[in-house]
Amino acid sequence: MMCASSVYAEKIIHGAVTDAETGEALPVAHIQISGTRSGTITNDNGNYSLEIETVPAEIQISYIGYTSKRITITDDSPEEQNIALTPSPVLLDEVVVSSEDPAVRIMKEVIRRKQIWRKSLETYKADAYTRIILANDTTIVSIAESISEIIWEKLKGPREIIKAKRQTDNMTQDQNFASARMVPNFYDDDIKVVGYKVIGPTHPDALKYYEFRLTRKRKIDESIIYDIFVTPKSRFQPSFVGNILVLDEEYAMIEVHLKPGDSILFPMPINDLKVTFTQQFSSFGGDYWLPVDVRNEGKINIKLPGITFPTIIYRQLTRLTDYQVNTVQTDSLLAKESSKGTITIAASDEKVSVTARDGENTARDESSKTRSDSIFTAKEADIVPFTDDEEKAYSSIDSTMTMEKAFKPSGFLVRILDDEDKEENTDSKSARNKGVSNIFSIVTPQLGFNRVDAFHFGLKHKKTLKKRFTYEAVGAYNTGSELWSYGGEIRYDRGKGTPWSVGLGGELGTDTRYSSHTYPEYLISFRTIIGSTDYYDYYRNKKWYADFGYRFHRFRTDISTGINIEHHTSLEKTTDYNILYSNKNQRPNPTIDDGRLRSLELTLKYGGEHVPAGLLGQKRAEIKIEHSSPDFLSSDFSFTQYRMIIDWKFDTFLRRRLLPNSLDMRFLWGTFTGDLPVQRFGIIDGAGTSFGPFGVLRSLSGHPLEGERYCALFLEHNFRTVPFELFGLQWFAKKGWGIILHGAAGRTWISEKRLSELSARYRPYYYDGIHSEIGLSLNSLFGFFRLDITKRLDKSGVFYGAGLARMF
């Protein structure tokens, strides 16, 4: 019994690892329990703490450039174990100069051996401790920690169960983002760094992308360590620069000190980001070289016109231990992926919830803060000790030290806002803000302006009941036509577990004669009130509708059908008012084909909802069919209309970048059978005077092209910063400036008979030919704008314009 007690007793040791000659601390020294895959690392002060499950046990303390030590720990050993390591000499062997650096031969062997042992590595599980520290230029702002379990599978990648969290008092557990799931493994072929897919130094094709240069040799015990300096060969492919350490004989990468190369650039509002990575590896006496830790440090500068934020400094430490390799993980993690893309996990007797994120899943234990604290208390011996500064910050930071205070921005826009705040009494401002907030929680304003309604003043009330059931009501008054507009809708929308939706509604008000594929109505209202030509034509529409939709989540596809019961009447222009030009005369509002329109609609959509103004590249398609017939509810119109719009973004070059070069395509098409009313004509959008986003004919200013039939193709290739990088203009590249090549072609069709009929009412926006153009843009000026120059091809003319930057 006494022997058994001795063998299975737990032992907690702590101490410091130092240089035997100078007494200096050795940060991130590796302490391993011999014969196991368990251990820890020292902190920046050289301090460590380690729980040994069974004694006697031997621990090995190692540090690159020093002779390792082995110590046997027994029941009688003191808890404080301070270890001094003796430096190993730097080897000064003469390096033979040849056409190929010796590092190339070394790295070829490292890559060859990695491919052998990586092939048989199917899974591993490890315990992880993660700490993230945020600081500004003067002090630590917050500390967040987590204790978790990492499960890596060859096919699924890493997943994580977070068992406990702890943070300073100025954070909540929801704000604690300490996680080991995104920790990079520099032995991977491809390494994700802030959105970039970076080629790893042991990638099978690493020799094509990197220069390797042997800088020196060192010793660790009886083995030789090669110090190899890594630099990228390409200025454009995302890659690293720095040092890697390779163990002779094993030809294994045992440590890296790397940072992103110059090709890794960041879009606005990030003005500058500097980050470094350090990682150690160990085979733990086996065949597989696995991460022991990762440490990354970074400085982020965020700057916008008129606003500058303090430098954000962050440090992350993740320590991995207790590896289990190529074992079935059914005892701690049973996962089953459902058709909804979620995963249900059972972990012993604990309830764990999981969120699916693009194939990488994080599971968060639904325990309280008290339970998290108890787990940290039980695991305290295995946590990397705090430094003195971190210990002081943890004890002194309270709930009043908010992130808003720590990273308060500066700049002239901030000063203007601060001056306005100072002018208003705090109590009155608080009361006013509360009152406004209460009002807008009930209703939201609906404002607009056009040449028919003049000013449109309205309110909208919308409320959601039981998550998916919503109702809304809208009322407005139009000052020009002196008519009221109103409407309402009830809808049961799809959600988690419910793929279908149904809606019923009605409205009476002003409608546009044609719909833009690009411009939202509020933008047209703004242009009109400042003196631009009104983009739309209008009519009065009394409408009832009902629709039913179903979403196939797996295929990101929606199908919906609906019925429309409408009555259309013409409206007249009531105003030429604008705030800039006293002599501006808007064109008359043309009459429409008055009457009752009853129709059935069928819509098929793929992808997400349409984003207006061409701000984002999308992958979506939509087909819409509308049928109206006198045989259906006594409609006055007889036609079938077919419409299609496809938006597709293709990544073309440098796909490993956060923002690869890309080609955006938009295709529009519409046709009909029967007699199409003028209020169902289709259009190809033109530029709004000098504002021309993607998806419009930039050399067609102020109005669209309309027709019974239409077809158009828009193309835009975003070369981003590459042209400036190619010519060595790094200042422009770091500012995020880019080059875009764009072109478009389109035409509409109106029959001669119909043109003759319409000439008595109005002159349609129509061109009997193919409108074609090509142009060049300077993108991302000041982070938000672009300048366009467009040459019309079917006619003479060069057009200049501006727009919002294409960032994504």
Side-chain angles (χ1 to χ4, degrees):
M1 289 177 61
M2 290 175 63
C3 290
S5 175
S6 174
V7 169
Y8 293 105
E10 290 185 355
K11 184 80 173 182
I12 297 175
I13 62 172
H14 62 86
V17 180
T18 58
D19 184 306
E21 295 180 359
T22 65
E24 293 182 357
L26 299 181
V28 205
H30 185 206
I31 301 150
Q32 180 188 342
I33 302 173
S34 299
T36 73
R37 291 191 175 100
S38 300
T40 190
I41 57 174
T42 59
N43 66 8
D44 289 346
N45 294 336
N47 298 322
Y48 74 94
S49 177
L50 177 66
E51 180 178 353
I52 304 172
E53 293 186 358
T54 60
V55 291
E58 182 184 71
I59 63 171
Q60 177 176 322
I61 305 93
S62 57
Y63 195 83
I64 302 296
Y66 289 77
T67 302
S68 299
K69 269 194 176 181
R70 295 177 182 268
I71 299 175
T72 300
I73 304 297
T74 66
D75 260 342
D76 298 329
S77 300
E79 291 184 358
E80 185 173 359
Q81 293 285 335
N82 295 316
I83 299 113
L85 300 183
T86 303
S88 299
V90 176
L91 302 181
L92 300 176
D93 294 350
E94 181 180 351
V95 178
V96 178
V97 178
S98 65
S99 60
E100 183 178 82
D101 194 286
V104 174
R105 175 189 59 80
I106 294 169
M107 290 307 301
K108 283 180 180 178
E109 186 63 16
V110 171
I111 294 169
R112 187 189 72 81
R113 295 198 183 193
K114 169 208 165 176
Q115 290 175 321
I116 294 172
W117 61 259
R118 254 303 176 92
K119 186 179 293 186
S120 61
L121 181 62
E122 299 293 334
T123 65
Y124 65 72
K125 181 177 72 172
D127 292 337
Y129 166 75
T130 300
R131 178 188 303 157
I132 295 179
I133 297 172
L134 288 181
N136 55 26
D137 289 327
T138 58
T139 186
I140 292 176
V141 174
S142 68
I143 301 176
E145 302 172 272
S146 71
I147 293 174
S148 61
E149 187 176 80
I150 287 288
I151 298 96
W152 179 88
E153 296 177 85
K154 181 180 290 186
L155 298 179
K156 295 182 179 180
R159 289 174 293 167
E160 181 179 25
I161 303 174
I162 296 180
K163 297 183 175 181
K165 289 183 174 183
R166 186 171 66 179
Q167 58 280 325
T168 47
D169 289 340
N170 59 345
M171 300 176 68
T172 64
Q173 280 205 359
D174 290 339
Q175 295 169 332
N176 182 334
F177 51 91
S179 168
R181 180 175 60 91
M182 300 303 292
V183 167
N185 180 349
F186 282 87
Y187 247 122
D188 288 342
D189 291 342
D190 299 308
I191 301 160
K192 292 182 179 179
V193 176
V194 288
Y196 282 81
K197 189 177 180 181
V198 188
I199 298 166
T202 62
H203 189 284
D205 296 326
L207 294 171
K208 295 180 182 179
Y209 296 100
Y210 289 106
E211 297 279 1
F212 296 101
R213 181 164 55 88
L214 181 63
T215 57
R216 64 174 175 172
K217 300 178 185 179
R218 288 185 281 175
K219 293 195 68 175
I220 181 169
D221 303 330
E222 299 303 318
S223 300
I224 296 175
I225 303 295
Y226 298 115
D227 281 30
I228 297 175
F229 187 60
V230 183
T231 54
K233 287 183 177 180
S234 171
R235 290 184 294 166
F236 307 112
Q237 287 291 353
S239 47
F240 295 106
V241 61
N243 290 281
I244 61 176
L245 278 61
V246 174
L247 181 64
D248 189 20
E249 296 179 355
E250 294 285 346
Y251 286 97
M253 187 171 66
I254 61 172
E255 192 167 332
V256 301
H257 302 267
L258 298 171
K259 64 180 181 179
D262 291 339
S263 60
I264 297 182
L265 303 171
F266 302 95
M268 291 285 284
I270 297 177
N271 188 52
D272 189 29
L273 190 151
K274 292 182 173 64
V275 59
T276 60
F277 297 93
T278 304
Q279 188 169 44
Q280 297 181 95
F281 300 90
S282 175
S283 66
F284 301 98
D287 298 325
Y288 306 105
W289 290 87
L290 303 170
V292 172
D293 65 351
V294 67
R295 289 147 285 143
N296 57 311
E297 299 183 5
K299 291 186 177 182
I300 306 173
N301 290 313
I302 298 176
K303 189 174 182 179
L304 296 167
I307 303 175
T308 302
F309 287 85
T311 299
I312 301 172
I313 301 170
Y314 76 92
R315 298 193 299 272
Q316 176 174 345
L317 162 69
T318 295
R319 184 223 58 202
L320 301 165
T321 187
D322 292 338
Y323 275 96
Q324 298 179 31
V325 178
N326 289 341
T327 57
V328 180
Q329 310 299 336
T330 55
D331 57 335
S332 63
L333 184 66
L334 300 175
K336 180 180 179 181
E337 188 165 0
S338 72
S339 60
K340 300 180 182 64
T342 60
I343 292 179
T344 304
I345 293 180
S348 303
D349 297 328
E350 303 169 1
K351 184 180 179 182
V352 180
S353 65
V354 179
T355 304
R357 299 178 182 172
D358 296 328
E360 294 177 334
N361 308 292
T362 297
R364 288 186 174 85
D365 193 311
E366 296 177 352
S367 57
S368 64
K369 182 178 182 299
T370 302
R371 188 168 183 274
S372 286
D373 290 344
S374 67
I375 292 175
F376 267 93
T377 300
K379 294 284 188 180
E380 198 70 43
D382 280 341
I383 293 173
V384 179
F386 286 118
T387 65
D388 294 340
D389 290 341
E390 293 166 354
E391 192 74 55
K392 182 179 178 181
Y394 221 123
S395 61
S396 61
I397 293 175
D398 59 29
S399 59
T400 64
M401 302 175 68
T402 62
M403 299 292 173
E404 290 82 357
K405 292 180 181 178
F407 299 107
K408 182 177 175 59
S410 60
F412 72 89
L413 286 181
V414 178
R415 289 193 295 271
I416 292 172
L417 295 174
D418 285 346
D419 291 342
E420 290 179 354
D421 287 343
K422 291 175 183 177
E423 291 175 3
E424 186 172 3
N425 177 271
T426 303
D427 293 335
S428 63
K429 181 176 68 176
S430 175
R432 175 178 59 81
N433 290 343
K434 185 176 180 180
V436 171
S437 176
N438 289 337
I439 292 173
F440 287 130
S441 67
I442 301 172
V443 293
T444 54
Q446 306 289 298
L447 305 175
F449 181 84
N450 60 62
R451 70 186 189 281
V452 170
D453 291 335
F455 288 100
H456 173 95
F457 297 110
L459 293 173
K460 177 180 178 180
H461 170 67
K462 183 175 182 179
K463 190 169 185 179
T464 301
L465 304 174
K466 296 183 179 180
K467 295 185 179 179
R468 291 189 293 274
F469 182 80
T470 62
Y471 70 86
E472 67 177 58
V474 181
Y477 181 72
N478 305 307
T479 62
S481 61
E482 298 182 349
L483 295 174
W484 287 90
S485 299
Y486 48 85
E489 180 187 76
I490 56 175
R491 178 169 298 279
Y492 187 85
D493 216 345
R494 59 177 172 265
K496 185 178 180 181
T498 306
W500 54 271
S501 65
V502 62
L504 177 67
E507 58 188 48
L508 173 63
T510 303
D511 209 342
T512 57
R513 187 169 63 82
Y514 40 78
S515 299
S516 170
H517 305 287
T518 305
Y519 300 117
E521 287 192 32
Y522 67 81
L523 184 60
I524 301 302
S525 292
F526 175 75
R527 290 180 62 251
T528 306
I529 200 171
I530 64 173
S532 296
T533 301
D534 198 340
Y535 193 78
Y536 289 120
D537 295 330
Y538 305 91
Y539 66 96
R540 185 82 166 168
N541 190 4
K542 182 179 181 181
K543 177 179 180 178
W544 293 95
Y545 62 90
D547 61 68
F548 175 83
Y550 190 90
R551 180 167 181 81
F552 299 89
H553 289 279
R554 183 177 179 181
F555 303 103
R556 298 182 62 213
T557 301
D558 296 88
I559 186 169
S560 62
T561 184
I563 181 173
N564 301 308
I565 300 175
E566 306 179 19
H567 190 272
H568 300 172
T569 54
S570 299
L571 290 171
E572 295 182 352
K573 184 185 78 169
T574 65
T575 183
D576 291 313
Y577 175 79
N578 68 83
I579 61 176
L580 294 182
Y581 308 107
S582 59
N583 59 348
K584 174 73 175 183
N585 289 319
Q586 296 283 0
R587 71 187 189 282
N589 188 57
T591 59
I592 62 161
D593 298 315
D594 293 1
R596 296 169 300 178
L597 193 154
R598 285 36 170 162
S599 67
L600 292 173
E601 284 186 355
L602 177 66
T603 304
L604 182 66
K605 294 181 181 179
Y606 171 82
E609 292 298 322
H610 174 59
V611 177
L615 293 177
L616 303 176
Q618 294 187 274
K619 290 186 177 181
R620 66 179 304 275
E622 180 177 332
I623 299 174
K624 185 176 181 179
I625 303 172
E626 183 181 19
H627 174 73
S628 178
S629 170
D631 297 332
F632 179 71
L633 298 177
S634 302
S635 178
D636 293 332
F637 303 96
S638 178
F639 68 89
T640 302
Q641 187 178 42
Y642 308 88
R643 300 188 182 206
M644 178 169 63
I645 177 171
I646 300 174
D647 285 308
W648 215 260
K649 178 183 177 181
F650 304 88
D651 290 339
T652 54
F653 311 118
L654 302 176
R655 298 183 183 182
R656 291 178 172 273
R657 289 195 169 193
L658 172 64
L659 299 175
N661 285 196
S662 60
L663 175 67
D664 287 282
M665 181 271 291
R666 170 174 288 180
F667 177 71
L668 303 177
W669 174 82
T671 189
F672 77 104
T673 60
D675 297 315
L676 190 69
V678 70
Q679 59 268 31
R680 284 295 192 266
F681 275 21
I683 67 166
I684 302 172
D685 280 307
T689 314
S690 59
F691 177 72
F694 175 69
V696 308
L697 298 171
R698 291 186 172 92
S699 56
L700 179 68
S701 180
H703 62 84
L705 291 178
E706 62 173 298
E708 298 169 299
R709 295 181 173 89
Y710 60 92
C711 184
L713 177 66
F714 303 89
L715 296 173
E716 186 168 278
H717 192 278
N718 194 339
F719 291 95
R720 305 197 185 278
T721 60
V722 172
F724 295 109
E725 296 176 62
L726 187 63
F727 291 102
L729 303 174
Q730 285 298 115
W731 185 90
F732 297 99
K734 289 183 177 180
K735 291 292 183 182
W737 290 20
I739 298 295
I740 294 175
L741 179 65
H742 58 83
R747 74 158 295 169
T748 60
W749 291 266
I750 303 177
S751 66
E752 291 185 7
K753 179 182 177 181
R754 195 61 186 274
L755 278 173
S756 178
E757 293 173 356
L758 293 176
S759 63
R761 302 190 208 172
Y762 75 105
R763 183 180 178 182
Y765 291 129
Y766 178 68
Y767 170 62
D768 188 14
I770 298 176
H771 184 117
S772 57
E773 61 186 33
I774 191 169
L776 201 66
S777 302
L778 183 59
N779 191 43
S780 198
L781 298 177
F782 308 108
F784 299 105
F785 306 104
R786 60 183 282 174
L787 296 177
D788 306 311
I789 179 170
T790 306
K791 173 71 170 67
R792 186 161 177 178
L793 299 178
D794 58 302
K795 287 186 176 182
S796 61
V798 177
F799 299 82
Y800 303 92
L804 296 176
R806 294 273 288 181
M807 297 299 298
F808 305 103

